[in-house]
Amino acid sequence: QVQLVESGGDLVQPGGSLRLSCTASRRIFLINTMRWYRQAPGNEREMVASITSGGNTNYADSVKGRFTISSDNAKSTVWLQMDSLKPEDTAVYYCNAKAGFNTYWGQGTQVTVSS
């Protein structure tokens, strides 16, 4: 069973930066898309950013210009560079990989933006 493992979550002050990483326990072949989602307490899980195998990216309006997604499909790894963080970015961040008919999720990493 392939597992995705996120890391990089932390407590950071408003305006700060964090870089999240997500890697698979073993290589995932034929990845179509990798995504980052987040879920704040009391809120539904929302898609933050996505990247296709061809390198096309998409972002939620709330993070455009501040977050950057990148990936290395050969290593089944995806990153999320988060700059100019705001308190409303506080959430558990999850990575997701879709390969054919299979979808994989990580266990989440906590990001807290607070002074």
Side-chain angles (χ1 to χ4, degrees):
Q1 182 73 15
V2 176
Q3 293 182 330
L4 297 179
V5 180
E6 301 99 336
S7 61
D10 206 345
L11 170 63
V12 63
Q13 292 187 345
S17 297
L18 283 176
R19 182 175 173 85
L20 304 184
S21 299
C22 169
T23 192
S25 56
R26 59 180 175 85
R27 183 174 177 179
I28 301 172
F29 291 91
L30 302 178
I31 292 175
N32 305 121
T33 306
M34 299 192 81
R35 296 181 174 92
W36 285 97
Y37 287 78
R38 68 185 181 187
Q39 187 168 19
N43 291 356
E44 294 185 354
R45 190 172 296 190
E46 62 173 348
M47 198 276 290
V48 175
S50 65
I51 185 166
T52 68
S53 58
N56 294 317
T57 59
N58 191 35
Y59 297 92
D61 288 343
S62 59
V63 306
K64 280 181 181 176
R66 300 188 298 120
F67 290 10
T68 304
I69 188 171
S70 58
S71 68
D72 184 339
N73 282 1
K75 297 181 179 179
S76 301
T77 299
V78 62
W79 299 273
L80 185 67
Q81 177 67 40
M82 305 187 295
D83 299 316
S84 302
L85 282 161
K86 304 176 181 180
E88 51 264 42
D89 295 319
T90 296
V92 178
Y93 284 70
Y94 301 88
C95 68
N96 165 284
K98 183 169 175 58
F101 294 107
N102 298 312
T103 300
Y104 305 93
W105 287 93
Q107 83 290 346
T109 185
Q110 176 69 47
V111 172
T112 303
V113 185
S114 176
S115 54

